[in-house]
Amino acid sequence: SVPPFYVSFVLAPLASNASELLASFGYALKKTSKSITISLTALEGAGSMNNTFTLGVFMMLIYTQGLAWQFTAETLAILAAELCVGLIAMRRVQTMWMAVLVLCVYPASLALV
């Protein structure tokens, strides 16, 4: 049995973004600057949209259920990750080191919490 932490923070995001991942992989196989930029931008957009949606649902649950606020570190980690990825995504051309930097944002945000 897989621990719930890994299901919710590793497997679920991979499963929900499988179509974007496959489409971006197809673009990246062309190995042109434009196609790789499209690929990375699509993945960054999907990740930001998922984070924003999840944070919205999370905030709505806290408000509607009257839960005690105990999630400052988690919320700040999500916002910091979105800000980092957003700043990188605003660049006109994406490079390999930017992709590595974006890839490192996820483990860094988990380490912050």
Side-chain angles (χ1 to χ4, degrees), residues 46-69:
S48 294
M49 289 297 292
N50 283 346
N51 280 348
T52 303
F53 179 72
T54 303
L55 185 60
V57 169
F58 178 65
M59 296 293 184
M60 183 183 69
L61 284 173
I62 288 177
Y63 178 75
T64 60
Q65 301 296 315
L67 301 174
W69 181 256

Side-chain angles (χ1 to χ4, degrees), residues 29-100:
L29 286 176
K30 295 179 183 177
K31 295 184 181 179
T32 65
S33 177
K34 183 172 180 148
S35 65
I36 290 174
T37 298
I38 290 170
S39 174
L40 291 174
T41 304
L43 289 174
E44 292 162 352
S48 294
M49 289 297 292
N50 283 346
N51 280 348
T52 303
F53 179 72
T54 303
L55 185 60
V57 169
F58 178 65
M59 296 293 184
M60 183 183 69
L61 284 173
I62 288 177
Y63 178 75
T64 60
Q65 301 296 315
L67 301 174
W69 181 256
Q70 300 174 354
F71 307 101
T72 303
E74 291 85 350
T75 303
L76 291 176
I78 291 170
L79 293 174
E82 284 197 42
L83 180 64
C84 289
V85 172
L87 289 173
I88 293 169
M90 289 173 42
R91 298 202 39 131
R92 188 163 175 84
V93 175
Q94 303 288 321
T95 61
M96 180 61 82
W97 72 268
M98 289 180 195
V100 170

